[in-house]
Amino acid sequence: MASSYPLCRSRAEIGIPATSEESFILDDDDTIATVQRAHREACEASRQATSSLGLDDVLHGHRRGPLPLRWVYLHVLRELAQRCGHADILREQLMNE
């Protein structure tokens, strides 16, 4: 049986920018190493936050309403696949210069 987890934390509470567009803005002190470290830390925080949940557990706080963890994982995979496609396009453009 699925459980319901009312997380409903703001973007500021979990340490992410107010809008997704702002997450693409780099500061002068950002480097490849600091961005990679921030990514690893975000991945670890996500693993910890979901470690006790099942795929059918329902999470709250998304603008679409309550969603099962399974949907969240699939959404993340779709986003990653899309970004990998973007990275491949950039790589091809750089290789052709």
Side-chain angles (χ1 to χ4, degrees):
M1 180 172 168
S3 299
S4 183
Y5 293 87
L7 299 178
C8 300
R9 295 189 303 162
S10 71
R11 294 175 72 90
E13 286 178 290
I14 58 176
I16 60 175
T19 66
S20 59
E21 291 81 19
E22 291 178 71
S23 65
F24 294 99
I25 299 171
L26 297 176
D27 294 326
D28 290 339
D29 58 341
D30 285 329
T31 65
I32 291 173
T34 62
V35 171
Q36 287 175 327
R37 183 172 51 251
H39 178 261
R40 282 191 305 272
E41 290 169 358
C43 289
E44 181 56 30
S46 296
R47 285 185 199 100
Q48 288 179 7
T50 58
S51 65
S52 65
L53 304 178
L55 292 176
D56 294 320
D57 287 336
V58 176
L59 305 173
H60 298 269
H62 193 276
R63 67 182 181 277
R64 297 176 111 182
L67 296 165
L69 181 60
R70 178 185 319 273
W71 184 93
V72 174
Y73 282 162
L74 289 173
H75 178 70
V76 169
L77 286 172
R78 283 193 305 264
E79 290 290 327
L80 286 172
Q82 184 177 10
R83 300 306 173 253
C84 286
H86 293 163
D88 193 45
I89 291 167
L90 289 172
R91 182 192 57 79
E92 287 179 13
Q93 290 176 337
L94 289 170
M95 297 297 286
N96 290 326
E97 287 189 3

Coordinates of all heavy atoms in Angstrom, one line a residue:
M1 N 0.8 -1.2 0.0 CA 0.0 0.0 0.0 C 0.9 1.2 0.0 O 1.9 1.3 0.7 CB -0.9 0.0 1.2 CG -1.8 1.2 1.3 SD -2.9 0.9 2.7 CE -3.6 2.5 2.8
A2 N 0.6 2.2 -0.8 CA 1.4 3.4 -0.9 C 1.1 4.3 0.3 O 0.0 4.4 0.8 CB 1.0 4.2 -2.2
S3 N 2.2 5.0 0.7 CA 2.1 6.0 1.7 C 2.1 7.4 1.1 O 2.4 7.5 0.0 CB 3.3 5.8 2.7 OG 3.4 4.6 3.2
S4 N 1.8 8.4 1.9 CA 1.8 9.7 1.5 C 2.8 10.5 2.3 O 2.7 10.5 3.5 CB 0.4 10.3 1.6 OG 0.3 11.6 1.1
Y5 N 3.6 11.3 1.6 CA 4.6 12.1 2.3 C 4.4 13.6 2.0 O 4.7 14.0 0.9 CB 6.0 11.6 1.9 CG 6.3 10.2 2.4 CD1 6.0 9.1 1.7 CD2 6.9 10.0 3.6 CE1 6.3 7.9 2.1 CE2 7.2 8.8 4.1 CZ 6.8 7.7 3.4 OH 7.1 6.4 3.8
P6 N 4.0 14.4 2.9 CA 3.7 15.8 2.7 C 5.0 16.6 2.8 O 5.2 17.3 3.8 CB 2.7 16.2 3.7 CG 3.0 15.2 4.9 CD 3.5 14.0 4.2
L7 N 5.9 16.5 1.8 CA 7.1 17.3 1.9 C 6.9 18.8 1.8 O 7.3 19.5 2.7 CB 8.1 16.8 0.9 CG 8.5 15.3 0.9 CD1 9.4 14.9 -0.2 CD2 9.1 15.0 2.3
C8 N 6.4 19.2 0.8 CA 6.0 20.6 0.5 C 7.0 21.6 1.0 O 6.7 22.7 1.6 CB 4.7 20.9 1.2 SG 3.3 19.9 0.5
R9 N 8.3 21.4 0.8 CA 9.3 22.4 1.2 C 9.6 23.3 0.0 O 9.5 22.9 -1.2 CB 10.6 21.7 1.5 CG 10.5 20.8 2.8 CD 11.7 20.3 3.3 NE 12.4 19.5 2.3 CZ 13.7 19.2 2.4 NH1 14.4 19.6 3.4 NH2 14.3 18.4 1.4
S10 N 9.9 24.6 0.3 CA 10.1 25.5 -0.8 C 11.4 25.3 -1.5 O 12.3 24.6 -0.9 CB 10.1 26.9 -0.2 OG 11.3 27.2 0.6
R11 N 11.6 25.8 -2.6 CA 12.9 25.7 -3.4 C 14.0 26.3 -2.5 O 15.1 25.7 -2.5 CB 12.8 26.4 -4.7 CG 11.8 25.8 -5.7 CD 11.6 26.5 -7.0 NE 12.7 26.4 -7.8 CZ 12.9 25.5 -8.8 NH1 12.0 24.6 -9.0 NH2 14.0 25.5 -9.5
A12 N 13.8 27.4 -1.8 CA 14.8 28.0 -1.0 C 15.2 27.0 0.1 O 16.4 26.9 0.5 CB 14.3 29.3 -0.4
E13 N 14.2 26.3 0.7 CA 14.5 25.4 1.8 C 15.4 24.3 1.4 O 16.2 23.8 2.2 CB 13.2 24.9 2.4 CG 12.4 25.8 3.3 CD 11.1 25.2 3.7 OE1 10.3 25.0 2.9 OE2 11.1 24.9 5.0
I14 N 15.3 23.8 0.2 CA 16.1 22.7 -0.3 C 17.3 23.2 -1.0 O 18.1 22.4 -1.6 CB 15.3 21.7 -1.1 CG1 14.7 22.3 -2.3 CG2 14.3 21.0 -0.2 CD1 13.9 21.3 -3.2
G15 N 17.6 24.5 -1.1 CA 18.8 25.0 -1.6 C 18.9 25.1 -3.1 O 20.0 25.0 -3.7
I16 N 17.8 25.3 -3.8 CA 17.8 25.5 -5.2 C 17.3 26.8 -5.6 O 16.5 27.4 -4.9 CB 17.1 24.3 -6.0 CG1 15.6 24.3 -5.6 CG2 17.8 23.0 -5.7 CD1 14.8 23.2 -6.4
P17 N 17.7 27.4 -6.8 CA 17.2 28.7 -7.2 C 15.7 28.8 -7.3 O 15.0 27.7 -7.5 CB 17.9 28.9 -8.6 CG 19.0 27.9 -8.6 CD 18.6 26.8 -7.8
A18 N 15.2 30.0 -7.3 CA 13.7 30.2 -7.3 C 13.1 29.7 -8.6 O 12.0 29.3 -8.6 CB 13.4 31.7 -7.1
T19 N 13.9 29.8 -9.7 CA 13.4 29.4 -11.0 C 14.4 28.5 -11.6 O 15.6 28.6 -11.3 CB 13.1 30.5 -12.0 OG1 14.3 31.2 -12.3 CG2 12.1 31.5 -11.4
S20 N 14.0 27.6 -12.5 CA 14.9 26.7 -13.2 C 15.9 27.5 -14.0 O 17.1 27.1 -14.1 CB 14.2 25.6 -14.0 OG 13.4 26.2 -15.0
E21 N 15.5 28.6 -14.6 CA 16.4 29.4 -15.4 C 17.6 29.9 -14.6 O 18.7 30.0 -15.1 CB 15.7 30.6 -16.1 CG 14.6 30.2 -17.1 CD 13.3 29.7 -16.5 OE1 13.0 30.0 -15.3 OE2 12.6 29.0 -17.3
E22 N 17.3 30.2 -13.4 CA 18.4 30.8 -12.5 C 19.5 29.7 -12.2 O 20.6 30.1 -11.9 CB 17.8 31.3 -11.2 CG 17.0 32.5 -11.3 CD 16.4 32.9 -10.0 OE1 17.2 33.4 -9.1 OE2 15.2 32.8 -9.8
S23 N 19.2 28.5 -12.4 CA 20.2 27.4 -12.1 C 21.2 27.3 -13.2 O 22.2 26.7 -13.0 CB 19.5 26.0 -11.9 OG 18.9 25.6 -13.2
F24 N 21.0 28.1 -14.3 CA 22.0 28.1 -15.3 C 23.0 29.3 -15.3 O 23.8 29.5 -16.1 CB 21.3 28.1 -16.7 CG 20.6 26.8 -17.0 CD1 19.3 26.7 -16.8 CD2 21.3 25.7 -17.4 CE1 18.6 25.5 -17.0 CE2 20.6 24.5 -17.6 CZ 19.3 24.4 -17.4
I25 N 22.8 30.1 -14.2 CA 23.6 31.3 -14.1 C 24.8 31.0 -13.2 O 24.7 30.5 -12.1 CB 22.8 32.5 -13.4 CG1 21.6 32.8 -14.3 CG2 23.7 33.7 -13.1 CD1 20.7 33.8 -13.6
L26 N 26.0 31.2 -13.8 CA 27.2 30.9 -13.1 C 27.8 32.1 -12.4 O 27.7 33.2 -12.9 CB 28.3 30.3 -14.0 CG 27.9 29.0 -14.7 CD1 29.0 28.7 -15.8 CD2 27.8 27.9 -13.8
D27 N 28.4 31.9 -11.2 CA 29.1 32.9 -10.5 C 30.5 32.9 -10.9 O 31.1 32.0 -11.4 CB 29.0 32.7 -9.0 CG 27.6 32.8 -8.5 OD1 26.8 33.7 -9.0 OD2 27.2 32.1 -7.5
D28 N 31.2 34.0 -10.6 CA 32.7 34.1 -10.9 C 33.5 33.0 -10.3 O 34.5 32.6 -10.8 CB 33.2 35.5 -10.5 CG 32.7 36.6 -11.4 OD1 32.2 36.3 -12.5 OD2 32.7 37.7 -11.0
D29 N 33.1 32.5 -9.1 CA 33.8 31.5 -8.4 C 33.4 30.1 -8.8 O 34.0 29.1 -8.2 CB 33.7 31.7 -6.9 CG 32.3 31.7 -6.4 OD1 31.4 31.9 -7.2 OD2 32.1 31.5 -5.1
D30 N 32.5 29.9 -9.7 CA 32.1 28.6 -10.2 C 33.2 28.0 -11.1 O 33.7 28.7 -12.0 CB 30.8 28.6 -10.9 CG 29.6 28.8 -10.0 OD1 29.7 28.3 -8.9 OD2 28.6 29.4 -10.5
T31 N 33.5 26.8 -10.9 CA 34.5 26.1 -11.7 C 33.8 24.7 -12.1 O 32.8 24.3 -11.5 CB 35.8 25.8 -11.0 OG1 35.6 24.9 -9.9 CG2 36.4 27.1 -10.5
I32 N 34.5 24.0 -13.0 CA 34.0 22.7 -13.3 C 34.0 21.8 -12.0 O 33.0 21.1 -11.7 CB 34.9 22.0 -14.4 CG1 34.6 22.7 -15.7 CG2 34.5 20.5 -14.5 CD1 35.5 22.3 -16.8
A33 N 35.0 22.0 -11.2 CA 35.1 21.2 -10.0 C 34.0 21.5 -9.0 O 33.4 20.6 -8.4 CB 36.5 21.4 -9.3
T34 N 33.7 22.8 -8.8 CA 32.7 23.2 -7.8 C 31.3 22.8 -8.3 O 30.4 22.4 -7.5 CB 32.7 24.7 -7.5 OG1 32.4 25.5 -8.7 CG2 34.0 25.1 -6.9
V35 N 31.0 22.9 -9.6 CA 29.8 22.5 -10.2 C 29.6 20.9 -10.1 O 28.5 20.4 -9.7 CB 29.6 22.9 -11.7 CG1 28.4 22.3 -12.3 CG2 29.5 24.4 -11.7
Q36 N 30.7 20.2 -10.3 CA 30.6 18.7 -10.2 C 30.4 18.4 -8.7 O 29.6 17.5 -8.4 CB 31.9 18.1 -10.6 CG 32.0 18.1 -12.1 CD 33.4 17.6 -12.6 OE1 34.4 17.8 -11.9 NE2 33.4 16.9 -13.8
R37 N 31.0 19.1 -7.8 CA 30.8 18.8 -6.4 C 29.4 19.1 -5.9 O 28.8 18.3 -5.2 CB 31.8 19.6 -5.5 CG 31.7 19.3 -4.0 CD 32.8 19.9 -3.2 NE 32.9 21.3 -3.4 CZ 34.0 21.9 -4.0 NH1 35.0 21.1 -4.4 NH2 34.1 23.2 -4.2
A38 N 28.8 20.2 -6.4 CA 27.4 20.5 -6.1 C 26.5 19.5 -6.6 O 25.5 19.1 -6.0 CB 27.1 21.9 -6.6
H39 N 26.8 19.0 -7.8 CA 25.9 17.9 -8.4 C 26.0 16.7 -7.6 O 25.0 16.1 -7.3 CB 26.4 17.7 -9.8 CG 25.6 16.6 -10.5 ND1 26.1 15.3 -10.6 CD2 24.4 16.6 -11.1 CE1 25.2 14.6 -11.2 NE2 24.1 15.3 -11.5
R40 N 27.2 16.3 -7.2 CA 27.4 15.1 -6.3 C 26.6 15.2 -5.0 O 25.9 14.3 -4.5 CB 28.8 14.8 -6.1 CG 29.5 14.1 -7.3 CD 30.9 13.6 -6.9 NE 31.8 14.6 -6.3 CZ 32.6 15.4 -7.0 NH1 32.6 15.3 -8.3 NH2 33.3 16.3 -6.4
E41 N 26.7 16.4 -4.4 CA 26.0 16.7 -3.1 C 24.5 16.6 -3.3 O 23.8 16.1 -2.5 CB 26.5 18.0 -2.6 CG 27.9 18.0 -2.1 CD 28.4 19.4 -1.7 OE1 27.7 20.4 -1.9 OE2 29.6 19.5 -1.3
A42 N 24.0 17.2 -4.4 CA 22.6 17.1 -4.7 C 22.1 15.7 -4.9 O 21.0 15.3 -4.4 CB 22.2 18.0 -5.9
C43 N 22.9 14.9 -5.6 CA 22.5 13.5 -5.8 C 22.5 12.8 -4.5 O 21.5 12.0 -4.2 CB 23.5 12.8 -6.8 SG 23.4 13.4 -8.5
E44 N 23.5 13.0 -3.6 CA 23.5 12.3 -2.3 C 22.3 12.7 -1.5 O 21.7 11.9 -0.8 CB 24.8 12.6 -1.6 CG 24.9 11.9 -0.3 CD 24.7 10.4 -0.3 OE1 25.1 9.8 -1.4 OE2 24.2 9.8 0.7
A45 N 22.0 14.0 -1.5 CA 20.8 14.5 -0.7 C 19.5 13.9 -1.2 O 18.7 13.5 -0.4 CB 20.8 16.0 -0.8
S46 N 19.4 13.7 -2.5 CA 18.2 13.1 -3.1 C 18.1 11.6 -2.7 O 17.1 11.1 -2.4 CB 18.3 13.2 -4.6 OG 18.2 14.5 -5.0
R47 N 19.3 10.9 -2.7 CA 19.3 9.5 -2.3 C 18.9 9.4 -0.9 O 18.1 8.5 -0.5 CB 20.7 8.9 -2.5 CG 21.0 8.7 -4.0 CD 22.4 7.9 -4.1 NE 22.9 8.1 -5.4 CZ 23.8 9.0 -5.8 NH1 24.4 9.8 -4.9 NH2 24.2 9.0 -7.1
Q48 N 19.4 10.2 0.0 CA 19.0 10.2 1.4 C 17.5 10.5 1.6 O 16.9 9.8 2.4 CB 19.9 11.1 2.2 CG 21.3 10.7 2.4 CD 22.2 11.6 3.2 OE1 21.7 12.6 3.7 NE2 23.5 11.4 3.2
A49 N 17.0 11.5 0.9 CA 15.6 11.9 1.1 C 14.7 10.8 0.6 O 13.6 10.7 1.1 CB 15.4 13.2 0.3
T50 N 15.1 9.9 -0.3 CA 14.2 8.9 -0.9 C 14.5 7.5 -0.4 O 13.8 6.6 -0.8 CB 14.2 9.0 -2.4 OG1 15.5 8.8 -2.9 CG2 13.7 10.3 -2.9
S51 N 15.5 7.3 0.3 CA 16.0 6.0 0.7 C 14.9 5.1 1.4 O 14.9 3.9 1.3 CB 17.3 6.1 1.5 OG 17.0 6.7 2.8
S52 N 14.1 5.8 2.2 CA 13.0 5.0 2.9 C 11.7 4.9 2.1 O 10.8 4.3 2.7 CB 12.8 5.6 4.3 OG 12.2 6.9 4.1
L53 N 11.7 5.4 0.9 CA 10.4 5.5 0.2 C 10.3 4.4 -0.9 O 11.3 3.9 -1.4 CB 10.3 6.8 -0.6 CG 10.3 8.1 0.3 CD1 10.2 9.3 -0.6 CD2 9.3 8.1 1.4
G54 N 9.1 4.0 -1.2 CA 8.9 3.0 -2.2 C 8.4 3.8 -3.5 O 8.0 4.9 -3.4
L55 N 8.5 3.1 -4.6 CA 8.1 3.7 -5.9 C 6.7 4.2 -5.9 O 6.4 5.2 -6.7 CB 8.4 2.8 -7.1 CG 9.8 2.4 -7.3 CD1 9.9 1.4 -8.4 CD2 10.6 3.7 -7.7
D56 N 5.8 3.6 -5.2 CA 4.4 4.0 -5.2 C 4.1 5.0 -4.1 O 2.9 5.5 -4.0 CB 3.5 2.8 -5.1 CG 3.6 1.9 -6.4 OD1 3.7 2.5 -7.5 OD2 3.6 0.7 -6.3
D57 N 5.0 5.4 -3.3 CA 4.8 6.4 -2.2 C 4.5 7.7 -2.9 O 5.1 8.1 -3.9 CB 5.9 6.5 -1.3 CG 6.0 5.3 -0.3 OD1 5.0 4.7 -0.1 OD2 7.2 5.1 0.2
V58 N 3.5 8.5 -2.4 CA 3.1 9.7 -3.0 C 3.7 10.9 -2.3 O 3.8 11.0 -1.1 CB 1.5 9.8 -2.9 CG1 1.0 11.1 -3.5 CG2 0.9 8.7 -3.7
L59 N 4.3 11.8 -3.2 CA 4.9 13.0 -2.7 C 4.1 14.2 -3.0 O 3.4 14.3 -4.1 CB 6.3 13.1 -3.4 CG 7.2 11.9 -3.2 CD1 8.5 12.1 -4.0 CD2 7.6 11.7 -1.7
H60 N 4.1 15.2 -2.1 CA 3.3 16.4 -2.3 C 4.3 17.6 -2.6 O 5.5 17.5 -2.2 CB 2.5 16.7 -1.1 CG 1.5 15.6 -0.8 ND1 0.2 15.7 -1.3 CD2 1.6 14.4 -0.2 CE1 -0.4 14.6 -1.0 NE2 0.4 13.8 -0.3
G61 N 3.8 18.6 -3.1 CA 4.6 19.8 -3.3 C 4.8 20.2 -4.8 O 5.3 21.2 -5.1
H62 N 4.5 19.3 -5.7 CA 4.7 19.6 -7.1 C 3.5 20.4 -7.6 O 2.4 20.2 -7.1 CB 4.8 18.3 -7.9 CG 5.3 18.5 -9.3 ND1 4.4 18.8 -10.3 CD2 6.5 18.4 -9.8 CE1 5.1 18.9 -11.5 NE2 6.4 18.7 -11.2
R63 N 3.7 21.3 -8.6 CA 2.6 22.1 -9.1 C 1.5 21.3 -9.7 O 0.4 21.8 -9.8 CB 3.1 23.1 -10.0 CG 3.7 22.6 -11.3 CD 4.2 23.7 -12.3 NE 4.7 23.1 -13.5 CZ 5.9 22.5 -13.7 NH1 6.8 22.5 -12.7 NH2 6.3 22.1 -14.8
R64 N 1.8 20.1 -10.1 CA 0.7 19.2 -10.7 C -0.1 18.5 -9.6 O -1.1 17.8 -10.0 CB 1.4 18.1 -11.6 CG 2.1 18.7 -12.8 CD 2.8 17.6 -13.5 NE 2.1 17.5 -14.8 CZ 2.4 16.6 -15.7 NH1 3.4 15.7 -15.5 NH2 1.8 16.5 -16.8
G65 N 0.3 18.6 -8.4 CA -0.4 17.9 -7.3 C 0.4 16.7 -6.9 O 1.6 16.5 -7.2
P66 N -0.2 15.9 -6.0 CA 0.5 14.7 -5.5 C 0.9 13.7 -6.6 O 0.2 13.5 -7.5 CB -0.5 14.1 -4.5 CG -1.5 15.1 -4.2 CD -1.5 16.0 -5.5
L67 N 2.2 13.2 -6.5 CA 2.7 12.3 -7.5 C 3.5 11.2 -6.9 O 4.2 11.4 -5.8 CB 3.7 13.1 -8.5 CG 3.0 14.2 -9.3 CD1 4.1 15.1 -9.9 CD2 2.2 13.6 -10.4
P68 N 3.4 10.0 -7.4 CA 4.2 8.9 -6.9 C 5.7 9.1 -7.2 O 6.1 9.7 -8.2 CB 3.7 7.6 -7.6 CG 3.1 8.2 -8.9 CD 2.6 9.6 -8.6
L69 N 6.5 8.6 -6.3 CA 8.0 8.7 -6.5 C 8.4 8.1 -7.9 O 9.3 8.6 -8.5 CB 8.7 7.9 -5.4 CG 10.2 7.9 -5.4 CD1 10.8 9.4 -5.3 CD2 10.8 7.1 -4.3
R70 N 7.7 7.1 -8.3 CA 8.0 6.5 -9.6 C 7.9 7.6 -10.7 O 8.8 7.7 -11.6 CB 7.0 5.4 -9.9 CG 7.1 4.7 -11.3 CD 6.0 3.7 -11.5 NE 5.6 2.9 -10.4 CZ 6.2 1.8 -10.0 NH1 7.2 1.3 -10.7 NH2 5.8 1.1 -8.9
W71 N 6.9 8.5 -10.7 CA 6.8 9.5 -11.7 C 7.9 10.5 -11.5 O 8.5 10.9 -12.6 CB 5.4 10.3 -11.4 CG 5.2 11.3 -12.5 CD1 4.5 11.2 -13.6 CD2 5.7 12.7 -12.4 NE1 4.5 12.4 -14.3 CE2 5.3 13.3 -13.6 CE3 6.5 13.4 -11.6 CZ2 5.5 14.6 -13.9 CZ3 6.8 14.7 -11.8 CH2 6.3 15.3 -13.0
V72 N 8.3 10.8 -10.3 CA 9.4 11.8 -10.1 C 10.7 11.2 -10.7 O 11.4 11.9 -11.5 CB 9.6 12.0 -8.6 CG1 10.9 12.9 -8.4 CG2 8.4 12.7 -8.0
Y73 N 11.0 9.9 -10.5 CA 12.2 9.3 -11.1 C 12.1 9.3 -12.6 O 13.1 9.6 -13.3 CB 12.3 7.8 -10.6 CG 12.9 7.7 -9.2 CD1 12.7 6.5 -8.5 CD2 13.6 8.7 -8.5 CE1 13.2 6.3 -7.2 CE2 14.1 8.5 -7.3 CZ 13.9 7.4 -6.6 OH 14.4 7.2 -5.3
L74 N 11.0 9.0 -13.2 CA 10.9 9.0 -14.6 C 11.0 10.4 -15.2 O 11.7 10.6 -16.3 CB 9.5 8.4 -15.1 CG 9.4 6.8 -14.8 CD1 8.0 6.4 -15.1 CD2 10.5 6.1 -15.7
H75 N 10.5 11.4 -14.5 CA 10.7 12.8 -14.9 C 12.2 13.2 -14.9 O 12.6 13.8 -15.9 CB 9.9 13.7 -14.0 CG 10.0 15.1 -14.4 ND1 9.4 15.7 -15.5 CD2 10.6 16.1 -13.7 CE1 9.7 17.0 -15.6 NE2 10.5 17.3 -14.5
V76 N 12.9 12.8 -13.9 CA 14.3 13.1 -13.8 C 15.0 12.4 -15.0 O 15.9 13.0 -15.6 CB 14.9 12.7 -12.4 CG1 16.4 12.7 -12.4 CG2 14.3 13.6 -11.3
L77 N 14.7 11.2 -15.2 CA 15.4 10.4 -16.3 C 15.1 11.1 -17.7 O 16.0 11.3 -18.5 CB 14.9 9.0 -16.4 CG 15.5 8.1 -15.3 CD1 14.8 6.7 -15.3 CD2 17.0 8.0 -15.4
R78 N 13.9 11.6 -17.9 CA 13.5 12.3 -19.2 C 14.4 13.6 -19.3 O 14.9 13.9 -20.3 CB 12.1 12.6 -19.2 CG 11.2 11.4 -19.6 CD 9.8 11.8 -19.9 NE 9.1 12.6 -18.9 CZ 8.3 12.1 -17.9 NH1 8.1 10.8 -17.9 NH2 7.8 12.9 -17.0
E79 N 14.4 14.3 -18.2 CA 15.2 15.6 -18.2 C 16.7 15.3 -18.5 O 17.3 16.0 -19.2 CB 15.0 16.3 -16.9 CG 13.6 16.9 -16.7 CD 13.3 18.0 -17.6 OE1 14.2 18.8 -17.9 OE2 12.1 18.2 -18.0
L80 N 17.2 14.3 -17.8 CA 18.6 14.0 -18.0 C 18.9 13.6 -19.5 O 19.9 14.0 -20.1 CB 19.1 12.9 -17.1 CG 19.3 13.3 -15.6 CD1 19.6 12.0 -14.8 CD2 20.4 14.3 -15.5
A81 N 18.0 12.8 -20.0 CA 18.2 12.3 -21.4 C 18.1 13.6 -22.4 O 18.9 13.7 -23.3 CB 17.1 11.4 -21.8
Q82 N 17.2 14.5 -22.1 CA 17.1 15.7 -22.9 C 18.4 16.5 -22.8 O 18.9 17.0 -23.8 CB 15.9 16.5 -22.5 CG 15.7 17.7 -23.4 CD 14.4 18.5 -23.0 OE1 13.8 18.2 -22.0 NE2 14.1 19.4 -23.8
R83 N 18.9 16.7 -21.6 CA 20.1 17.5 -21.4 C 21.3 16.8 -22.0 O 22.2 17.4 -22.6 CB 20.4 17.7 -19.9 CG 19.3 18.4 -19.2 CD 19.0 19.8 -19.8 NE 17.8 20.4 -19.2 CZ 16.6 20.4 -19.7 NH1 16.3 19.9 -20.8 NH2 15.6 21.0 -19.0
C84 N 21.4 15.5 -22.0 CA 22.5 14.7 -22.7 C 22.4 15.0 -24.2 O 23.5 15.2 -24.8 CB 22.4 13.2 -22.4 SG 22.9 12.8 -20.8
G85 N 21.2 15.1 -24.7 CA 21.1 15.4 -26.2 C 21.6 16.8 -26.4 O 22.3 17.0 -27.4
H86 N 21.3 17.8 -25.5 CA 21.8 19.1 -25.7 C 23.3 19.1 -25.6 O 24.0 19.8 -26.4 CB 21.3 20.0 -24.6 CG 19.8 20.3 -24.7 ND1 19.1 20.8 -23.7 CD2 18.9 20.1 -25.7 CE1 17.8 20.9 -24.0 NE2 17.7 20.4 -25.2
A87 N 23.9 18.4 -24.7 CA 25.4 18.3 -24.6 C 26.0 17.7 -25.8 O 27.1 18.2 -26.3 CB 25.7 17.5 -23.3
D88 N 25.3 16.7 -26.4 CA 25.9 16.1 -27.6 C 25.9 17.1 -28.8 O 26.8 17.2 -29.6 CB 25.1 14.9 -28.0 CG 25.7 14.0 -29.0 OD1 27.0 13.8 -28.9 OD2 25.1 13.6 -30.0
I89 N 24.8 17.9 -28.9 CA 24.8 19.0 -29.9 C 25.9 20.0 -29.7 O 26.6 20.3 -30.7 CB 23.4 19.7 -29.9 CG1 22.3 18.7 -30.4 CG2 23.4 20.9 -30.8 CD1 20.9 19.2 -30.1
L90 N 26.1 20.4 -28.5 CA 27.2 21.3 -28.2 C 28.6 20.7 -28.5 O 29.4 21.4 -29.1 CB 27.2 21.7 -26.7 CG 26.1 22.6 -26.3 CD1 26.1 22.8 -24.8 CD2 26.2 24.0 -27.0
R91 N 28.8 19.5 -28.2 CA 30.0 18.8 -28.5 C 30.3 18.7 -30.0 O 31.4 19.1 -30.5 CB 30.0 17.3 -28.0 CG 31.3 16.6 -28.2 CD 31.2 15.1 -27.9 NE 30.1 14.5 -28.7 CZ 30.2 14.1 -30.0 NH1 31.3 14.3 -30.6 NH2 29.2 13.5 -30.6
E92 N 29.2 18.4 -30.8 CA 29.4 18.4 -32.2 C 29.7 19.8 -32.8 O 30.5 19.9 -33.7 CB 28.1 17.9 -32.9 CG 27.9 16.4 -32.7 CD 26.6 15.9 -33.3 OE1 25.9 16.6 -34.0 OE2 26.2 14.7 -32.9
Q93 N 29.1 20.8 -32.2 CA 29.4 22.2 -32.7 C 30.8 22.5 -32.4 O 31.5 23.2 -33.2 CB 28.4 23.2 -32.1 CG 27.0 23.0 -32.6 CD 26.0 24.0 -31.9 OE1 26.3 24.4 -30.7 NE2 24.9 24.3 -32.5
L94 N 31.3 22.1 -31.2 CA 32.7 22.5 -30.9 C 33.7 21.7 -31.8 O 34.7 22.2 -32.1 CB 33.0 22.1 -29.4 CG 32.3 23.1 -28.4 CD1 32.4 22.5 -27.0 CD2 32.9 24.5 -28.5
M95 N 33.3 20.5 -32.1 CA 34.2 19.6 -32.9 C 34.3 20.1 -34.3 O 35.3 19.9 -35.0 CB 33.7 18.2 -32.9 CG 33.8 17.5 -31.5 SD 35.4 17.4 -30.8 CE 36.1 16.1 -31.8
N96 N 33.3 20.8 -34.8 CA 33.2 21.3 -36.2 C 33.8 22.7 -36.3 O 33.8 23.2 -37.4 CB 31.8 21.3 -36.7 CG 31.3 19.9 -36.9 OD1 32.0 19.0 -37.2 ND2 30.0 19.7 -36.6
E97 N 34.3 23.3 -35.3 CA 34.9 24.6 -35.4 C 36.3 24.5 -35.7 O 37.0 23.7 -35.6 CB 34.7 25.4 -34.1 CG 33.3 25.8 -33.9 CD 33.1 26.8 -32.8 OE1 34.1 27.2 -32.1 OE2 31.9 27.1 -32.5

